[in-house]
Amino acid sequence: MSVIIDNWAFLEHPDWRMKPTSDVPALFSGSRLGLVCPNNPDYRNYIGAQIDDLYGRYEFDGAFFDMLFWRYVCGCPSCVKRLQDEEGIALPDTLDWLDPGWCTFQTARERWLAEFGQLLTDRSKAAKPGIEVYHNFATLQYSWEQGSSPEGSRASDFLGADFYGDAAEQLFMCKLFERLSRTRPIEFITSRCPTPGFHEQVKSAEQMQLQVEAAVLASAAFMWIDAIDLDGGINPDIYRR
């Protein structure tokens, strides 16, 4: 289930949108992606109602939440109000790691994201008691802008994420996840193509085998991603292989 990236909510509720504080290009901020702020109370109610309906009505073994991170520093009214209410300060207008106000804001961004993840987990377990919940935690390796932190791992029953780097990245992140995860196994996810952008290419059999074996070495579960074609179909040759 995708959160934060939500085109319908973005179009229907302009007041829910993230508001970048600068014109610096942001991660996944292309024109086709609508970004809404997890601090907006109406958006939180909306996503909570979706969870109640989805997990309260249908049978699932687990819940996987994707896209749980800031795309950029958000300065929307909800973020401004929450920072003032909780910390008693205005939103800083300058990035300065020597400024206590900026550091307080960044700490709050990390806390807010971790709390939003826990809200999604708690809501899922209330709708479907006993369900296992985890969040895509790939952004732990990204920059401070995304707001991921080790504390955010507590919202997941186990850690998992999709990665597209080399063997060193896979081995390092698997070891890191194993140390942070509350239960085992962790899950390593990657695509059968070199990256999702190379949709029609396929990794060699040797590379695919090495990635699976590296996951086994880390006692991790493994998942291949096969993106659906633009026409809604799949390539049957991939599955025959």
Side-chain angles (χ1 to χ4, degrees):
M1 183 174 181
S2 176
V3 295
I4 295 178
I5 288 182
D6 190 322
N7 286 3
W8 181 89
F10 180 87
L11 293 172
E12 295 294 323
H13 298 277
D15 55 316
W16 295 5
R17 297 176 183 179
M18 282 193 188
K19 181 181 178 181
T21 56
S22 71
D23 57 1
V24 176
L27 189 66
F28 295 152
S29 61
S31 60
R32 71 183 183 88
L33 301 176
L35 307 176
V36 293
C37 181
N39 274 340
N40 185 285
D42 292 327
Y43 172 66
R44 293 163 79 99
N45 290 334
Y46 154 81
I47 202 71
Q50 278 197 332
I51 291 171
D52 292 346
D53 182 64
L54 187 66
Y55 294 105
R57 182 181 301 195
Y58 303 102
E59 291 298 324
F60 295 101
D61 296 318
F64 174 66
F65 289 97
D66 204 1
M67 305 303 178
L68 184 69
F69 58 96
W70 301 104
R71 298 312 185 267
Y72 38 69
V73 178
C74 180
C76 75
S78 297
C79 288
V80 172
K81 183 179 186 302
R82 189 169 183 184
L83 186 65
Q84 181 65 49
D85 291 346
E86 295 182 2
E87 303 295 343
I89 62 173
L91 193 89
D93 56 7
T94 302
L95 191 163
D96 182 358
W97 295 107
L98 298 180
D99 173 26
W102 170 261
C103 293
T104 297
F105 176 44
Q106 174 61 17
T107 301
R109 294 177 73 243
E110 295 176 4
R111 181 178 72 251
W112 294 338
L113 199 66
E115 289 177 354
F116 184 62
Q118 191 63 56
L119 181 150
L120 299 176
T121 296
D122 293 344
R123 196 75 177 245
S124 301
K125 290 180 179 289
K128 184 69 65 180
I131 196 173
E132 287 193 287
V133 181
Y134 74 118
H135 302 268
N136 192 335
F137 212 50
T139 52
L140 187 62
Q141 66 173 327
Y142 289 12
S143 79
W144 61 268
E145 277 189 293
Q146 279 66 64
S148 294
S149 65
E151 287 71 25
S153 66
R154 298 170 186 167
S156 294
D157 290 318
F158 60 92
L159 294 187
D162 56 327
F163 298 100
Y164 307 98
D166 58 14
E169 178 194 68
Q170 179 176 355
L171 294 171
F172 177 81
M173 295 307 297
C174 282
K175 289 180 180 180
L176 180 60
F177 276 20
E178 185 188 21
R179 300 304 188 274
L180 288 175
S181 185
R182 293 194 291 111
T183 63
R184 311 290 188 277
I186 62 168
E187 182 176 53
F188 181 85
I189 308 170
T190 192
S191 60
R192 53 89 176 166
C193 44
T195 69
F198 294 89
H199 185 66
E200 291 302 320
Q201 296 185 25
V202 186
K203 292 174 179 174
S204 68
E206 292 76 14
Q207 184 178 2
M208 296 175 86
Q209 182 173 350
L210 283 173
Q211 289 194 283
V212 172
E213 290 175 348
V216 173
L217 181 67
S219 300
F222 190 93
M223 180 188 292
W224 287 115
I225 292 175
D226 178 34
I228 296 172
D229 288 336
L230 296 179
D231 64 1
I234 60 173
N235 182 347
D237 290 338
I238 298 297
Y239 293 88
R240 281 194 289 268
R241 175 179 170 179

